[in-house]
Each structure stands twice: as C-alpha cells, then as structure tokens.
C-alpha cells in the first residue's frame, strides 16, 4: 500500500498514476470497480470501467466522461500499468490490478466466487499487496448453493400462490434482483412484477445479453394475487406495497444467514443469497493471491486482520467509507 | 427428529398465528405420543434443565471447528445465539463435498433424542464432549441448530403455551381450559401423560394440580372510565411472588406463578396451611414481611399490620434446599391471600369475586396464623382511592389491583375484569457507560446497556436496562455506540460518557451485591434525553435518597 496506493482525503490514491480507485470525493481520474452507489460516485472528470459497467454508470450518474476497459486489457496511467479483472460481483464488476515497477497491488472491490449467471466468473489475480473487501468476514458466513436457494425462492412463491398471496421479494435493485430473475429461469418462464427502481437496471442487463425472466412494471388498477414481486428493501412499509394486499415478504441477502437479522427486520423468509465473498472465499482468495500484505476494508476488518496475522500473513485494516451493509 | 426440525422451521418462518397453529396441528397429528409429549414440553417453553454450561460448550465448539477461541467468541457475539453459532461454524468448516445427503441418516425420534440427552448426565466429561462434537459434525445446519438449542435449555420460536394449548384443543376438539388445566403444575413429558392430555374430559385431575393464574393488564386510562367505583374491589398491588396454596386430601402444595413447587422455601406458610379445611385452593402473594409491633398495629387503619420487605430480601428465600433458622428470622414471609379458587374440592372459578372473597374470609378464619392473611379489600370513590394510592410507596406496594366484583376467575391475561393501577415509577437521569450486543432478534445490535450516576467526579454503574427504546432509536444508538467505543472487554464495549437517559424503575433497595450499593427493580429506559448534558445526570446521593423514601 505504501508504495503503490495510499489513503487520501478523496479515497484510495495511486501517486504513480495520479488516479483513484472508487473515490468518495470528486477527482480527476477514477477507476471504478462497479456501479453500486458507494463505489461509483458523481463528480469525477474521467471514469475508467468495464464496458458492461458503463451503461449502468450512465443510468445512475447521468452524463459522465467514461472510458471502457475490457478485462485483462492493460492500460498506462502515468507510471502505473493498470488492468481490470472480473470480480464476479455484478455485471461489469472488476478487480483493479495496478503494477508499478515490479510491485503489484490488487484492489478486489466487491467480489464473490459463487457462480452467478448474470456476470463473468471471478478471476484470481496474484499480487504482492491485496486490498480486499471483508463485508462478511466471520466464519459464521458460508453461502449455501445458489441453485438450492433459487429453488427455495420458487417453492415459496408457489406456496404463496396456493394461498392466493403475493410473494414480495426484497433484493438490492442492482445485481441481486437480476441474479434472482436469471436463477429462476430453471424453474419457470412466468414473468415477475418489478418495482420502478428495479425495472430500468433490468433493461440494461437484458440489452447486454443477460437471460432472465420477463419483468413487467406495476400497472395501476391491476389486481395482483399469487405473483412474485421484486422490490428494493426500502419498499417494505411504504404505501407502494399496499397495492399487493395480503402478501409475505422475503429478503435476499447474505445477512439473512443470521436468524436474528431476519426476525428483527420482520421478514417471513430470509434467503441467503449474497454477491459478496463468504468467509471461506475470503480466506482462500487471500491465500491463493500469494499477497504478502493484505488490507481488508469495509466490514468486520478487525476479526479478519487478527485471524490473518495469526496465520502469519501481514494484515492491516484500511478504513474506507464503503458500505457497511449495502446488501 | 426430522419432523420436529421441520416443525421448528415452519414456525420460525411465519408471523401468522394461523400458520403456526396449522403447523403444530399437523405435527401432533403425525407424531408418536412420546415425541408429541416432548414437543408440548419444549414448545410451551418449559425450561429443560441445562445439561452443560455455555463456557464449556464454547470451548468444545472451538475445538470441534478448529478455529481460535477468540474468533468463536466474536462469532457468538455477532450471532447472539450459541446454538446457531455452533451450527453455522460447523457448516463453514465442512468441506463443500460434504453437504447434502452424506449425513448419517439414522433417524432418531425427538423423545429418543431427549432421553439420550438426559443420560448425558451420567457420562464422563470426555465422553460428553465426544458425543456432542459428533452430533455437531454429523448434523445438517437446521438440525444441528435445534439439537444444540435443546442442549442449552429453551427453544424459543414465537410460540407460547397458550398457542400450543390452542393447537391441541383444535386438533382434539377439547376446551382450551381443560388442556390448560391438565398442563398446570409439574407436567412430565411422557407418552401416557400426552394421551391423558388429549383424552376426553372426565373431570378428574391430580391432587397437586393448580389452576391457571388470572392475570391483569395495566390500566392506562382514568379509572372513572371503568364505571362506578362501587362495582369494583381495590386491593394493594403487592410486589412479591404470586402463588397458589392448595390443600387437598391432607396434602399441602404451594405453587409459584412459574409453576414451581416452593413449599421448601416457605415452610411457615405450609405450616399455617395445616389448619385450613380440606379441598381449598387459595390465590395470593408471598411477601417478605416486617411485622408491626402491637402498638403500631393499634394505629393501623387498614388491617395491614406491618410492611413488605424489599423484593431482593424475599429472593434470598428462593432456590435453597432448606431455609435455615437465621434466614427464617431475617426474612419472615406471609401469604397475602386474595382469592379462593376451590372450596370443598369444588371449583369456585365460575362464581363472582364477591362470593369467592367471602368464602376466602371464612376459610382463613380456620387458620389463626400471622403467616396467612386476608389481603385487605378497599372500597370508596375513585377520588378516595386516587388519594390513597399516593401512599403506595411508603407502604411498599406498587399501587392498586382493581377487580370487578361480579367477575369470574379467568385463565391467563384477559382484558376487562382485572386491572393493575400502578403508581408512577421512580425516574433517574443516568449516563450510558457500557453496551453489549443483545440476543435473539436483537443479536448483532448493541441493546443491553449499563447506566451510571455521579458520585463526586466519578460515574458509578447502578442499573442495566434492555427495553424502552423504539426500534429506530435502537438502531441510532447502535451506530453511535460503534463510533464512540472507548474500550472492548469481550462482548462489552465501554463508550464515551455522553448520552443521558431517563430510566424508570419500580422499586429500590440497598444491596451489598451491587457496586453502587443499591438494587433497582424492573429498570427500563423511559426516554433518551438528548437535551441533557452528561453533567446534568443525577447523583448516587439522589438515588439513595429514594431508598430512604421507600424504607419506612
């Protein structure tokens, strides 16, 4: 970190290349790992991102100056050789590899290694220094097979239908919602009802060739029963939800691994489906990267740091402003 | 075990009472009586005797999953439930190839499993450890969780005894009151008892069996809205242990509201009951008591003759095999009787209160003992009672109970006939000093707080409180705590002493066991005083002065 990247006021900064990775303050050059709001912010002069990420950036941030960079395509910024590599988090998500001289640093951004039909699989990149996400860095987090989770969601939907109830599934509007719609294709070809926040992003995914169930907007005056409705968590408790009458609510998130989290939020069903790495994925990725120095960021960094140190891996927390619980 | 785990999962997945009822009915319909008996026992929240301490389990857990102790501790603090932590950690360390069908598929029924659990007691430590670790390693996630829950005591899944009773009553077409009565007391989970529980109503019951207690809701409106005061009976609301005293066929039983037999803790009450006629059941309150001297008694206007000791004194009498002469002298007890539920072996529950009270008065006249008394009935206008209520604190009571004179004795908490008309609680402004993550639905949120008051320049912890904040305030305070942590001691964080809260509590007494020198009763948070500076919090001197108010 000291050599290639350092923490500056606006974010993680590379002096050799005079650019930032996912900066939170406005800067000249920003390399963006993915389009979630805590990583891609408005106000930078120039955005470097994967071609699949750029339409989403435009949708969320408006008219920005962006430059697409394919996975594995090395480009020069100042003295730094930079390349993006698939992170498997959401469509167009990337890890950033930065080489200066003979030193290599990788910023994982958010990543996962469980399969996801909506995006390219995670690519392992070896490095000297690894800045890794650590959202779910406790060993209680291990993800079940996403196929079986999708089956649970489908069974729940059908079970709600038998009782003439709507099944309202809360998902993060970018990434998780589309992943669920893609996974469900194995069980049905019915369409699902989409909240206004989910609809445009789903259209972008579809225009990039991602195969998913049909999604239809909410029609005023339509009487819904037995439908699967996909909405962001903020929709729960809002007047919008009232049109679905009697319904059960489910939530798709890694946090649903813990029973108390689900019960506290008042969801009937919690589906453990995460776009982040679980404990085993984190620890394995760190080992396989060959990094001598590991800097976990956003999440419970303290436990991961201590665990790595006990495994004789040099580790230190990196304080960033990336989301504490955006799932 | 599989069908019980499935039942648990179904109950856990719904907030709907009807869905819970139908899940339970389905289970009872299919289950072996021996397993159903255990399910009744577990779901109605009867605590199993804990077979192992949590510290021991955590140690074995860390060993079983091969993770450092501190990481297991942190995981536990995060999850807020030891059984869930054990199941999740084992799930994580299992190889991916080991998920699914490879688990040993020897299906053990719930009753067989519970009986095996009870046999654990006879095993050597090492054997216990081996057995438990094997259970963890062989069980799929949900099953591992339920099994560990049963090992550590209670399995809470949003089902009350009332709901279990309702499910059984619906399934077997019996009145709920019958099932409820049959479950009272020391009900043991055996196949035979289960079959009795769901068998036709033949009216017979065990001699020791108590009635379900009638409970009251707090009165939150003007008592005048209840109608004329002449329709109501007021009694002091005693702060002791609710109890039922039974004498049938020459045997005496004393039940606490927790449905435990407490004869050995209160021998003087049992002795006093010897003189009662046979076939009676009395409802009342056990209290530690300061007997008034004769001279004082002369001056007493209202037949109370003395004053209750603070609750923490009464607590000393509990949980002992035998009460020694010293303690008998220091904390004498009485039963303040206020209702009679059975007379001549016949239930009086369906008779109006007025009639039950006069029966009670007659029954008590047989026992001339200072340990068995009639709780005074107070009558007068609402204004008179409201005035009298102001003297509650100095009398060591919590206010009034109001009971309709024509009311029958109902089972459980029913709105309308009985009300608690309590005095306003004590309040103190205190400073948040420590926070700890809660359990269950509050796991992973800092919700267990320790509060302090000033003693000179020092903040002295004096009360813990868990309840009273709105969910949104809990979340806000949790964020604040995380950002303003000074030190961590395991799961506990000390925070910057900045936040002031108004705490409310029902009683206060001196205590040698507390650093502050006082113990408070039912402390909870009344308000978050964001308007107050830490310097404006109250002092220990002020808190102690409340004891003085209360003492004489």
């Amino acid at each position: 970190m000291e050599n290639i990247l350092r923490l500056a006021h606006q974010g993680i900064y590379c002096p050799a290349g005079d650019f930032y990775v996912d900066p939170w303050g406005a800067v000249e050059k920003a390399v963006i790992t993915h389009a979630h709001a805590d990583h891609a912010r408005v106000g930078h002069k120039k955005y470097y991102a994967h071609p699949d990420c750029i339409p989403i950036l435009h949708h969320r941030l408006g008219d920005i100056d962006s430059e697409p960079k394919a996975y594995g395509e090395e480009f020069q910024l100042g003295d730094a050789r930079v390349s993006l590599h698939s992170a498997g988090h959401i469509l167009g998500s990337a890890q950033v590899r930065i080489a200066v001289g003979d030193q290599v640093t990788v910023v994982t951004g958010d990543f996962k290694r469980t399969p996801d039909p909506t995006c390219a699989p995670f690519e392992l990149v070896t490095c000297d220094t690894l800045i890794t996400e650590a959202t779910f860095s406790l060993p209680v987090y291990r993800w079940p097979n996403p196929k079986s989770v999708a089956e649970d969601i489908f069974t729940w939907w059908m079970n709600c239908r038998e009782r003439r109830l709507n099944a309202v599934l809360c998902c993060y509007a970018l990434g998780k919602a589309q992943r669920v719609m893609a996974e469900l294709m194995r069980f049905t070809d019915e369409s699902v009802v989409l909240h206004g926040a989910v609809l445009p992003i789903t259209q972008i995914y579809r225009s990039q060739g991602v195969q998913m169930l049909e999604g239809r907007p909410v029609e005023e005056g339509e009487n819904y029963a037995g439908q699967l409705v996909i909405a962001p968590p903020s929709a729960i408790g809002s007047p919008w939800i009232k049109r679905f009458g009697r319904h059960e609510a489910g939530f798709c998130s890694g946090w649903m691994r813990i029973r108390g989290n689900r019960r506290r939020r008042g969801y009937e069903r919690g589906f453990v489906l995460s776009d982040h790495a679980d404990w085993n994925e984190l620890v394995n990725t760190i080992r396989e990267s060959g990094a001598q120095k590991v800097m976990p960021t956003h999440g419970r960094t303290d436990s991961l740091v201590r665990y790595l140190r006990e495994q004789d891996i040099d580790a230190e927390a990196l304080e960033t402003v990336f989301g504490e619980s955006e799932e | 075990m599989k069908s019980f785990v499935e039942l648990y999962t179904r109950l856990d997945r719904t907030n709907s009472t009807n869905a819970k009822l139908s899940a339970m009915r389905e289970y009872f319909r299919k289950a072996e009586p021996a397993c159903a008996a255990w399910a009744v026992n577990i779901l109605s929240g009867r605590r199993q005797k804990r077979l192992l301490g949590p510290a021991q389990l955590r140690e074995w857990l860390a060993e079983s999953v091969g993770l450092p102790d501190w990481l297991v501790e942190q995981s536990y603090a995060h999850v807020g439930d030891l059984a869930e932590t054990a199941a999740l950690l084992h799930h994580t360390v299992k190889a991916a190839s080991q998920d699914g069908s490879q688990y040993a598929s020897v299906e053990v029924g719930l009753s067989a499993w519970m009986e095996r659990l009870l046999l654990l007691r006879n095993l050597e430590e090492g054997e216990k450890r081996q057995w438990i670790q094997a259970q963890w390693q062989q069980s799929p996630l949900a099953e591992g969780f339920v099994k560990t829950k049963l090992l550590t005591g209670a399995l809470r899944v949003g089902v009350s005894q009332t709901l279990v009773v309702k499910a059984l009553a619906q399934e077997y077409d019996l009145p709920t009151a019958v099932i409820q009565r049959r479950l009272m007391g020391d009900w043991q989970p055996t196949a035979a008892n289960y079959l009795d529980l769901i068998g036709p109503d033949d009216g017979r019951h065990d001699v020791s069996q108590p009635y379900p207690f009638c409970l009251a809701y707090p009165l939150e409106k003007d008592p005048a809205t209840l109608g004329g005061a002449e329709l109501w009976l007021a009694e002091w609301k005693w702060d002791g242990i609710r109890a039922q005293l039974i004498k049938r066929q020459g045997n005496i039983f004393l039940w606490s509201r927790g449905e435990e037999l407490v004869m050995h803790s209160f021998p003087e009450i049992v002795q006093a009951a010897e003189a009662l006629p046979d076939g009676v059941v009395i409802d009342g309150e056990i209290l530690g008591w300061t007997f008034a001297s004769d001279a004082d008694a002369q001056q007493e206007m209202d037949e109370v003759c003395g004053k209750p000791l603070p609750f923490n004194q009464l607590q000393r009498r509990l949980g002992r095999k035998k009460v020694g002469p010293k303690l008998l002298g220091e904390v004498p007890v009485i039963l303040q009787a206020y209702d009679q539920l059975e007379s001549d072996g016949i239930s009086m529950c369906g008779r109006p209160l007025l009639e039950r009270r006069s029966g009670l008065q007659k029954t008590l006249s047989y026992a001339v003992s200072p340990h068995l008394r009639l709780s005074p009935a107070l009558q007068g206008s609402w204004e008179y009672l409201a005035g009298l209520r102001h003297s509650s604190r100095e009398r060591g009571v919590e206010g009034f109970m109001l009971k309709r004179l024509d009311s029958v004795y109902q089972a459980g908490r029913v709105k309308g006939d009985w009300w608690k008309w309590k005095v306003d609680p004590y309040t103190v402004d205190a400073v948040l000093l420590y926070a700890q993550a809660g359990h269950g639905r509050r796991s992973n949120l800092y919700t267990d707080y320790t509060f302090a008051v000033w003693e000179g320049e020092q903040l002295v912890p004096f009360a813990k409180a868990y309840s009273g904040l709105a969910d949104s305030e809990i979340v806000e305070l949790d964020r604040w705590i995380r950002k303003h942590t000074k030190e961590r001691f395991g799961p506990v964080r000390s925070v910057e002493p900045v936040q002031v809260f108004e705490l409310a509590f029902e009683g206060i007494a001196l205590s040698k066991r507390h650093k502050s020198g006082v113990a408070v009763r039912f402390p909870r948070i009344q308000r978050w005083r964001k308007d107050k500076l830490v310097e404006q919090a109250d002092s220990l001197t002020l808190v102690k002065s409340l004891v003085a108010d209360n003492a004489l």
Side-chain angles (χ1 to χ4, degrees), chain A residues 137-145 152 163 248 255-269 279-280 300 302-308 310-311 324, chain B residues 8 12-15 67-68 70-71 74-75 78-79 81 84-85 88-89 91-96 99 141 145 149 156-157 440-445 471 479 482 488:
Chain A
S137 57
L138 275 176
V140 290
Y141 290 105
R142 180 196 169 184
W143 308 142
N145 184 334
D152 286 346
R163 293 174 290 144
E248 278 193 8
W255 298 113
M256 293 297 100
R257 179 83 284 183
I258 309 288
R259 203 170 146 249
N261 281 340
R262 169 171 61 80
R263 283 157 67 221
R264 182 160 68 240
R265 291 176 167 91
Y267 294 103
E268 275 94 1
R269 295 296 303 271
W279 171 261
N280 289 345
R300 298 180 57 90
D302 49 348
S303 47
L304 185 59
V305 165
R306 181 166 170 193
Y307 180 78
L308 293 173
E310 288 184 4
Q311 311 285 309
E324 287 162 354
Chain B
Y8 173 83
D12 190 44
R13 278 178 180 174
T14 183
N15 297 324
L67 290 168
W70 65 265
L71 191 53
Q74 280 199 4
S75 297
H78 179 72
V79 174
D81 183 296
E84 192 179 351
T85 310
L88 288 172
L89 290 179
H91 180 65
T92 293
V93 298
K94 273 168 204 157
D99 286 353
L141 190 58
F145 170 63
K149 270 289 191 199
R156 284 165 44 179
V157 63
R441 75 185 273 277
R442 298 167 136 208
S443 67
N444 199 4
L445 269 183
D471 282 354
R479 286 212 189 99
R482 287 169 199 274
R488 297 183 189 195

Side-chain angles (χ1 to χ4, degrees), chain B residues 424-452:
Chain B
D424 296 334
Y426 294 104
T427 60
V428 161
D429 289 334
V431 182
L432 177 66
L433 215 54
Y434 304 106
Q436 187 173 358
H439 291 81
R441 75 185 273 277
R442 298 167 136 208
S443 67
N444 199 4
L445 269 183
Y446 284 87
T447 56
D448 298 1
Y449 317 108
T450 303
F451 296 95

